[in-house]
């Protein structure tokens, strides 16, 4: 209705012409703008400030999250797993070390690999022709010996009496053996079924076909009596001790290490296996922590500095108490004593960390290298509390890094001030935008009223001018009578 009124009034003014000699349309708009502009400027400034605050909080949360990641990379015992194995005969076996491995040297002599039993049938002309005349039959699978022996009956349905059907049925039972069809390339009967068990002597097996009905007996052409390979254990010697394993992956021969046997070692020449500690990866992680901390400290300075010219988030949280609180808590993450001191190591300062007066963090490389070399276990205790995968909500002491992750998680929580204040600003922006919309509506109504008032005025001025013209014409006529002009 306001828009229709504005349009009607404007048309009326245009129709009357400049009766008063004043551009009343422009005058009406100028009056509205004069009333609207200062109010709009105030609201726009509030929106801009709130948007800046949101950007500032987001920037702080971003760098704090990076700092949390840096501490997370140091909070677990496994993060300090720096054992590097060196193997003189890597062609015979490979080695992986976990967090419980210790530095030292070992000898390993592999004399035999674990193997799986493998049996094969006679050949078939094709994979789709039925055996046993297409009649159903069964297999009896016997595994192991003595008390550990097990027997499984595998029923072959009439529809599965082809070589391909037999393979599929055996595999479907998942009884510890697998079957596959191979093509030997023979001119008359190239297809054979190979059945393979698991590695190790205890997984030896026999597989016998049996006809159903009276008489029974083995199915012609379906015999697994031909053994290609026997099931045997791996045999090896570690540090002078003879050992066996049903698998070629050995996890209990050397504490904290897994041996993957791939071949026998050189005759009468055991492999030398040396576990040495490489602290370079730990130093890299600690340097990454320093970088993340300084980035966070710099960001806190940018958002709180009233002279900052950084776009988007510079000077967006000037005088904000949350910034001061975050800065204080960050310093405590570095300067506070560990909940799990290691020997004489009580805090990060004891391994070379230093905070200057401006809050910039650095590491004394010489001191750090010395502590990692001579007090490695104590460093690990200081930083990790010897914990592994501890929950961020656990109340157990968890070292400098673990405690830092807990505190940073709390700072970044959705219920923490960094997030709630940002959410409040978002709500305020919505309210401010509604105020702008309401202001536009009021100003549109005001413009319509001004236009209507000025239209009335123009009409009255136009009527006055018309009356003036008529009167002048009348008087002129009368004068002409008396003056004979």
């Amino acid at each position: 209705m306001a828009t229709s009124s504005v349009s009607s009034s404007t048309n009326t003014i245009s129709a009357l012409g400049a009766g008063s000699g004043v551009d009343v349309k422009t005058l009406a708009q100028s009056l509205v703008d004069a009333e609207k502009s200062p109010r709009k400027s105030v609201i726009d400034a509030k929106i801009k400030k709130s948007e800046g605050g949101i950007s500032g909080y987001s920037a702080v949360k971003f760098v704090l999250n990076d700092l949390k990641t840096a501490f997370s990379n140091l909070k677990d015992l496994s993060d300090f797993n720096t054992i590097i194995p060196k193997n003189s005969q890597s062609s015979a076996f490979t080695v992986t070390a976990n967090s419980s491995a210790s530095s030292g040297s070992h000898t390993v002599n592999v004399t035999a690999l674990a193997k799986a039993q493998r049996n094969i049938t006679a050949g078939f002309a094709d994979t789709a022709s039925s055996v046993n005349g297409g009649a159903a039959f069964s297999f009896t699978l016997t595994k192991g010996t003595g008390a550990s022996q097990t027997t499984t009956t595998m029923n072959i349905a009439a529809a599965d009496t082809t070589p391909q059907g037999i393979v599929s049925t055996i595999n479907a039972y998942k009884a510890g053996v697998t079957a596959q069809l191979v093509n030997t390339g023979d001119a008359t009967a190239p297809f054979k079924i190979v059945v393979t068990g698991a590695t190790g002597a205890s997984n030896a097996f026999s597989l016998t076909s049996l006809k159903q009905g009276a008489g029974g007996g083995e199915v012609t052409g379906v015999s697994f009596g031909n053994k290609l390979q026997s099931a045997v254990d791996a045999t090896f010697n570690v540090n002078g001790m003879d050992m066996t394993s049903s698998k070629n992956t050995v996890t209990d021969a050397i504490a904290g290490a897994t041996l993957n046997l791939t071949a026998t070692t050189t005759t009468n020449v055991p492999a030398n296996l040396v576990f040495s500690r490489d602290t370079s990866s730990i130093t890299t992680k600690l340097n990454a922590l320093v970088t993340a901390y300084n980035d966070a400290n710099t960001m806190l300075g940018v958002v709180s500095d009233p002279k900052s010219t950084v776009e988007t988030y510079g000077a967006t949280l000037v005088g904000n108490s949350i910034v001061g609180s975050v800065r204080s808590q960050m310093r405590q993450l570095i300067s506070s004593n560990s909940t799990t001191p290691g020997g004489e190591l009580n805090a990060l300062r004891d391994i070379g960390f230093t905070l200057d007066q401006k809050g910039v963090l650095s590491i004394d490389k010489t001191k750090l290298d010395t502590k990692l070399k001579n007090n490695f276990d104590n460093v690990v205790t200081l930083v990790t509390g010897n914990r592994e995968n501890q929950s961020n909500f656990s109340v157990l002491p968890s070292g400098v890094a673990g405690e830092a992750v807990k505190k940073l998680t709390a700072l970044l929580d959705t219920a923490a001030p960094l997030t709630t204040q940002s959410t409040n600003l978002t709500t305020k922006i919505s309210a401010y935008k509604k105020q702008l919309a309401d202001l536009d509506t009021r100003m549109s109504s005001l413009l319509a009223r001004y236009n209507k008032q000025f239209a009335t005025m123009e009409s009255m001025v136009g009527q006055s001018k018309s009356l003036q013209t008529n009167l002048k014409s009348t008087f002129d006529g009368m004068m002409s009578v008396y003056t004979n002009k």
Side-chain angles (χ1 to χ4, degrees), residues 73-101:
N73 291 336
L74 290 161
K75 78 180 185 68
D76 291 326
L77 185 62
S78 59
D79 293 326
F80 286 76
N81 174 26
T82 60
I83 292 296
I84 306 298
K86 295 182 180 179
N87 178 8
S88 65
Q89 294 191 44
S90 57
S91 60
F93 61 94
T94 59
V95 186
T96 54
N98 60 37
S99 58
S100 62

Side-chain angles (χ1 to χ4, degrees), residues 1 3 22 36 40 46-47 58 70 74 122 136 203 213 230-231 241 245 263 355 357 360 376 408 421 425 432:
M1 291 298 291
T3 301
V22 177
K36 177 181 179 181
K40 183 177 184 299
K46 290 180 179 180
I47 291 176
S58 296
L74 290 161
N203 290 307
S230 297
M241 295 178 288
S245 171
L355 275 170
Q357 292 182 342
V360 177
F376 183 82
L408 287 168
Q421 289 301 310
L425 289 177
Y432 293 148

Side-chain angles (χ1 to χ4, degrees), residues 121-124 130-133 137 161 166 209-211 216-223:
T121 63
F124 302 96
S130 295
V131 300
N132 196 37
F137 64 95
T161 55
I166 292 171
S209 62
L210 181 66
K211 295 179 181 179
E218 195 170 25
V219 177
T220 303
V222 188
S223 172

